[in-house]
Amino acid sequence: MVEQAGTGAVEIILGFDFGIKRIGIAMGNTLTGLAQPLAVVKAIDNAARFQQIGQLISEWRPARLVVGEPRHPDGAEHEMTLRCRRFANQLHGRFSLPVELVDERYSSSVIPSRRGEVIDDKAAAIILQQYFDDHANHN
């Protein structure tokens, strides 16, 4: 069982797979330490994106947010690394929640998909599951 250090309180956490066209969102909690796909935000306009994200935050009331941080296979940063960091900063600024970045180098590559299938929420679940697994190993 994964617990918040010192409190034992169960926390809901939302995970994000940021993309220019879509944002995948997953949810999980620290009691089970399991992530599951939740939603895909398809709005390109920032106001519409953050409105949809805000509705999910109001509904689920997470204690923190996790955002995948893409990098090249060798760990080097690229354009999307900076965009994801900016997105994470915007989440923190708009919703006043702690935001953590998780290495997402291989999140989409491990998901079997059919041509044209939207897998962003599944990628978000892999990112969030990695967060849970990393924190379980450190407690």
Side-chain angles (χ1 to χ4, degrees):
M1 182 166 88
V2 179
E3 294 182 346
Q4 171 83 11
T7 67
V10 175
E11 294 183 345
I12 291 175
I13 301 175
L14 295 184
F16 295 84
D17 179 40
F18 175 80
I20 295 169
K21 294 180 181 177
R22 294 178 303 273
I23 300 171
I25 304 172
M27 67 81 57
N29 67 65
T30 55
L31 177 65
T32 63
L34 298 175
Q36 62 187 23
L38 180 62
V40 176
V41 173
K42 296 179 181 175
I44 294 175
D45 170 75
N46 256 356
R49 282 180 162 190
F50 284 110
Q51 179 185 16
Q52 290 177 38
I53 291 168
Q55 289 171 345
L56 290 170
I57 287 173
S58 292
E59 179 181 348
W60 290 98
R61 301 199 181 279
R64 71 186 61 249
L65 308 174
V66 173
V67 176
E69 182 181 42
R71 294 176 172 267
H72 288 292
D74 66 358
E77 296 182 1
H78 54 75
E79 179 188 351
M80 282 305 290
T81 308
L82 300 176
R83 286 178 181 240
C84 287
R85 279 195 199 131
R86 189 168 88 205
F87 174 70
N89 288 335
Q90 289 173 324
L91 285 174
H92 176 70
R94 287 175 185 258
F95 302 110
S96 300
L97 289 169
V99 179
E100 296 190 42
L101 295 167
V102 171
D103 183 342
E104 70 152 54
R105 271 180 263 186
Y106 304 108
S107 62
S108 296
S109 65
V110 299
I111 303 169
S113 65
R114 292 186 280 283
R115 182 179 211 151
E117 180 182 12
V118 175
I119 61 169
D120 305 86
D121 55 343
K122 294 174 187 167
I126 289 173
I127 291 164
L128 184 55
Q129 189 63 54
Q130 182 174 332
Y131 171 85
F132 285 135
D133 293 349
D134 288 349
H135 285 74
N137 292 333
H138 291 115
N139 289 332

